[in-house]
């Protein structure tokens, strides 16, 4: 098994944990020097006080920076079961991350297609250094999202473009 598949497997475990808790099944793992530096799963996507701040990538980033604030962030790789949304993608970029590996495309709010080279100088200067690797263990991640959207108890993004697209995948 190659490195990308291995670390995506760890992100999938985080996503399964989130799904078991009734959360949107996104998991993230941040890798430094070939080892897991932090992990996170989506939280607070349901309940009495849902929020869009606790995405898996942000949870993992907060954990990483809490433990190792001086880590060389340009050498980190983020593995996520879903393409990082615009918020997560830019937060990770602004924190120095330049390598992104994801399993399943986010057709509704995926951020990795953001045309960095056409934006303000801060982002434009990052454009040439960013590496994006899609579709690693995509089928397994798709299965998680299909299971989530098929469950009548889950209302998060029900009837959205993402739900319709996901349920239409083979």
């Amino acid at each position: 098994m190659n490195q990308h598949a291995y670390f995506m497997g760890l992100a999938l475990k985080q996503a399964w944990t989130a799904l078991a808790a009734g959360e949107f099944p996104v998991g993230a793992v941040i890798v430094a020097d070939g080892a897991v530096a932090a992990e996170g799963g989506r939280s607070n996507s349901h309940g009495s006080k849902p929020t869009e701040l606790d995405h898996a990538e942000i949870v993992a980033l907060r954990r990483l920076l809490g433990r190792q604030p001086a880590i060389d962030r340009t050498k980190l790789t983020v593995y996520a079961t879903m393409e990082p949304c615009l918020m997560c993608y830019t937060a990770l970029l602004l924190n120095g991350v330049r390598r992104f590996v994801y399993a399943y495309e986010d057709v509704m709010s995926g951020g990795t297609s953001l045309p960095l080279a056409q934006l303000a100088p801060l982002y434009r200067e990052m454009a040439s250094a960013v590496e994006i690797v899609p579709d690693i263990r995509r089928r397994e991640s798709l299965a998680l999202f299909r299971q989530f959207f098929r469950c009548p108890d889950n209302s998060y993004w029900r009837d959205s473009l993402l739900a319709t697209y996901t349920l239409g995948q083979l």
Side-chain angles (χ1 to χ4, degrees):
M1 178 178 292
N2 72 34
Q3 182 175 349
H4 287 331
Y6 172 76
F7 288 117
M8 188 60 72
L10 298 178
L12 284 162
K13 286 181 184 178
Q14 292 291 316
W16 277 109
T17 299
L19 182 65
E23 299 287 352
F24 194 56
V26 180
V29 172
I30 300 177
V31 174
D33 297 321
V36 174
E39 302 172 303
R42 179 68 164 98
S43 61
N44 298 313
S45 63
H46 69 83
S48 62
K49 296 182 181 179
T51 176
E52 286 301 325
L53 295 174
D54 299 321
H55 288 203
E57 300 92 333
I58 301 300
V59 170
L61 181 62
R62 284 181 176 154
R63 287 179 180 160
L64 172 73
L65 297 179
R67 293 179 198 147
Q68 301 178 59
I71 194 167
D72 182 354
R73 300 173 199 174
T74 63
K75 295 185 178 172
L76 300 175
T77 302
V78 172
Y79 290 85
T81 57
M82 175 171 270
E83 176 184 5
C85 71
L86 187 58
M87 174 185 74
C88 293
Y89 183 56
T90 55
L92 290 160
L93 284 171
L94 289 170
N95 277 280
V97 177
R98 298 296 181 263
R99 278 183 298 289
F100 302 84
V101 180
Y102 66 85
Y104 185 58
E105 64 275 11
D106 183 348
V107 298
M108 189 169 75
S109 63
T112 64
S113 62
L114 185 67
L116 297 174
Q118 297 173 21
L119 298 179
L122 176 65
Y123 294 99
R124 191 169 41 242
E125 292 167 7
M126 297 176 192
S128 64
V130 174
E131 178 185 351
I132 299 168
V133 180
D135 302 329
I136 302 298
R137 298 182 75 167
R138 181 185 183 275
R139 185 171 298 195
E140 293 165 76
S141 189
L142 171 59
L144 278 164
F145 291 104
R146 288 177 64 105
Q147 184 173 337
F148 177 85
F149 285 124
R150 285 182 176 150
C151 179
D153 295 335
N154 296 326
S155 60
Y156 187 74
W157 293 121
R158 182 186 313 280
D159 302 322
S160 67
L161 170 63
L162 180 60
T164 303
Y165 176 80
T166 298
L167 293 172
Q169 295 293 300
L170 299 175

